[in-house]
Amino acid sequence: MNRDFGFRIASNLIAEANDRLLPALEDDAAALAASFERRGVLRRFQGGLDEITERIAAFSMAVPSWGLGTGGTRFGRFPGPGERENVFQKLVDAATVHQLAGGAPAVSLHLPWDRTGDPLELKEYAAALGLAFDAMNSNTFQDQPGQKLSYKFGSLAHTDPAVREQAIEHNLEVMSFGQAIGSRALTIWIGDGADYPGQVHLRRSLDRVIESMARVYAKLPRGWRLLTEHKPYEPAFYYTVVQDWGTSLRICQELGPHAFALVDLGHHLPGTNVEAVVARLIGAGRLGGFHLNDSKYGDDDLTAGSIKPYQLFLVFNELVDAATDPQVDKQTYAPAFMIDQSHNTKDPIEALIGTVEEARRAYAKALLVDREALDSFQDANDVVAAEMELKSAYETDVRPLLGLARWKRGAAIDPVGVFRRSGYRREKGRERKGGASLSSRPT
Ligand code: RM4
Ligand code: MN
Ligand code: MN
């Protein structure tokens, strides 16, 4: 059994740093509590600040295995020292994100990128690191060495039934791997589409996707969900078969009750009202989960909340609203939170720590919205009061709450600071021989 994790950050390093920072954090928290008292926020949280920080601490998400190394563009890639070289090392890095940031006790795998001989060994290795597995991801948007048929002109939507069959088989294999490691969902994102008008039959291409996905859905293990992820363009530049939430919803409705739509925050054209997309999917009982990230232009895969933090808050506002609305069926409303980012210039571990923080920040602020007051402002068409209710929650500095939520779970009050002082990358640079050396770090 492979149990060699290599260098890990000592827990006393975190504890010592926390001891130094705790008094100031407690001061800030006391000031926030006083302000909440004045604003009447604590009337809604009988357990006081403790109750709010507990709820924040309980909110967690999964780290993407493919986000643990430096990403790149078609122009190049500039990896740093000590980066992961295989799936086991990805798990150690993911465990480090969770150790410091709290809130990321799961990993989402991508096959064949993360394929290993023995999935059970992987499961035990992850468990020993305190990690579980969230949704599995299949990959029929690239050709793999030795693959029989090419996905150049599509996979689940291909005109050739033999290519579709190969893509279906791959998804089934991903599910059985996922079953072995304790995952309970399969996310399907396909790049199928066309670069030019006329290239593909618009209606029939979706019919073929639905037919192929139905074959995968038919084999969905008990208790599993099939998540379909939309994206407007790239790699296909004229037409993408599963291009928007409406198409995802149609797929779900054709497949059956265990199919749900996955919203990758960056998979929308500029200006799209993403919180409304989320609300529609909740309304239809088909919101399956998220790929958290942010973007300025397209599928930029930047750190969540780095470009449009207000949008992220408004998305979480819909989620907190749904979670408290008795009209929303809680059997179907159980979104999975996963990160999907590409870190081209940030250290991937630092970037992921940042995402956990940003997602929790948006969630914490959404918790502060007085829903009863907002409802009554909406009913009275009081535009200004309604907006002010949202803004007042959004503008609250919730950093003390986030710090306390981490501290309560033994994570770091200052996660990036501890990460930098720990020498993690230097140590991993020694251990992981194939990674970029310090001297080859791009300047
Ligand atoms: C896609 C999409 C998928 C992800 C791949 C790597 O743009 O976001 O979720 O699996 O990238
Ligand atoms: Mn995605
Ligand atoms: Mn993407």
Side-chain angles (χ1 to χ4, degrees):
M1 171 57 53
N2 184 352
R3 276 289 162 75
D4 179 16
F5 302 139
F7 178 80
R8 299 233 44 212
I9 297 174
S11 53
N12 64 346
L13 196 73
I14 298 176
E16 280 163 23
N18 282 354
D19 285 348
R20 274 197 312 278
L21 296 169
L22 191 60
L25 180 61
E26 282 179 328
D27 277 358
D28 291 348
L32 188 59
S35 142
F36 281 174
E37 186 68 59
R38 277 194 303 276
R39 284 161 56 184
V41 173
L42 292 183
R43 276 200 304 274
R44 286 177 283 119
F45 297 96
Q46 301 293 319
L49 237 49
D50 259 359
E51 184 186 337
I52 310 179
T53 52
E54 261 314 310
R55 292 187 52 187
I56 297 168
F59 173 62
S60 62
M61 63 213 81
V63 159
S65 67
W66 62 100
L68 288 159
T70 294
T73 68
R74 61 202 162 110
F75 301 104
R77 198 173 90 81
F78 304 96
E83 288 197 5
R84 88 291 173 256
E85 298 166 282
N86 56 50
V87 64
F88 293 97
Q89 295 177 359
K90 291 178 192 178
L91 292 178
V92 174
D93 286 358
T96 302
V97 173
H98 181 53
Q99 181 188 19
L100 297 172
V107 178
S108 192
L109 294 187
H110 222 305
L111 257 54
W113 296 337
D114 298 316
R115 189 188 277 129
T116 53
D118 181 4
L120 288 179
E121 185 187 3
L122 199 62
K123 185 181 183 185
E124 284 179 23
Y125 192 86
L129 286 163
L131 297 173
F133 291 101
D134 207 325
M136 296 296 299
N137 298 265
S138 59
N139 178 345
T140 60
F141 47 86
Q142 285 176 327
D143 285 347
Q144 306 300 329
Q147 186 179 308
K148 235 168 86 202
L149 302 165
S150 173
Y151 294 133
K152 177 171 179 180
F153 295 109
S155 58
L156 295 176
H158 203 285
T159 47
D160 180 352
V163 180
R164 299 203 295 274
E165 199 60 40
Q166 178 179 285
I168 292 167
E169 278 302 320
H170 169 67
N171 277 287
L172 299 183
E173 186 217 324
V174 173
M175 282 199 300
S176 64
F177 190 100
Q179 258 190 304
I181 61 171
S183 167
R184 297 184 57 183
L186 168 70
T187 300
I188 301 182
W189 171 73
I190 51 170
D192 295 41
D195 281 338
Y196 297 96
Q199 184 183 330
V200 155
H201 192 284
L202 302 188
R203 272 185 294 113
R204 272 177 229 137
S205 54
L206 178 59
D207 292 345
R208 289 193 293 269
V209 167
I210 292 172
E211 206 183 287
S212 303
M213 279 206 197
R215 298 264 314 278
V216 177
Y217 184 84
K219 294 277 166 62
L220 202 66
R222 180 187 287 273
W224 272 54
R225 288 181 163 200
L226 188 152
L227 308 177
T228 167
E229 175 180 0
H230 60 272
K231 175 170 177 174
Y233 76 95
E234 195 212 15
F237 287 126
Y238 159 67
Y239 159 68
T240 297
V241 186
V242 186
Q243 93 277 24
D244 61 10
W245 68 273
T247 309
S248 269
L249 180 58
R250 158 114 200 269
I251 292 171
C252 293
Q253 287 168 341
E254 297 277 350
L255 295 188
H258 307 298
F260 293 86
L262 181 133
V263 177
D264 181 310
L265 295 177
H267 288 192
H268 301 89
L269 295 174
T272 301
N273 186 334
V274 180
E275 57 272 25
V277 169
V278 170
R280 288 295 166 276
L281 289 169
I282 295 172
R286 295 290 186 159
L287 178 70
F290 290 89
H291 274 177
L292 302 167
N293 55 43
D294 208 345
S295 62
K296 179 79 178 156
Y297 302 106
D299 186 25
D300 306 345
D301 282 321
L302 299 176
T303 312
S306 59
I307 308 286
K308 293 169 291 199
Y310 192 45
Q311 174 182 282
L312 190 64
F313 161 76
L314 293 173
V315 166
F316 274 95
N317 180 51
E318 290 306 313
L319 299 176
V320 171
D321 183 80
T324 49
D325 186 345
Q327 305 246 290
V328 173
D329 174 14
K330 300 302 178 301
Q331 294 291 339
T332 53
Y333 179 77
F337 294 92
M338 294 164 284
I339 302 171
D340 180 5
Q341 293 178 174
S342 175
H343 311 111
N344 301 344
T345 47
K346 286 182 178 175
D347 181 300
I349 290 181
E350 293 185 4
L352 289 163
I353 288 172
T355 304
V356 175
E357 179 83 346
E358 289 304 317
R360 281 184 157 186
R361 192 192 316 282
Y363 174 62
K365 291 179 176 188
L367 284 177
L368 299 181
V369 173
D370 184 340
R371 309 239 150 242
E372 254 177 53
L374 184 61
D375 277 353
S376 65
F377 298 143
Q378 289 175 349
D379 288 345
N381 295 305
D382 191 336
V383 183
V384 170
E387 189 193 20
M388 277 170 63
E389 180 56 42
L390 288 184
K391 279 285 175 80
S392 140
Y394 176 68
E395 280 162 7
T396 305
D397 181 355
V398 295
R399 282 177 296 181
L401 302 176
L402 303 178
L404 285 176
R406 280 195 300 278
W407 171 75
K408 277 187 166 183
R409 296 287 200 271
I413 294 173
D414 173 20
V416 171
V418 173
F419 177 69
R420 291 187 173 188
R421 280 196 301 280
S422 72
Y424 188 87
R425 284 297 181 204
R426 190 187 57 239
E427 295 299 324
K428 291 298 176 195
R430 288 198 193 113
E431 282 169 19
R432 298 173 179 175
K433 294 287 180 279
S437 73
L438 272 172
S439 58
S440 70
R441 186 173 204 158
T443 48

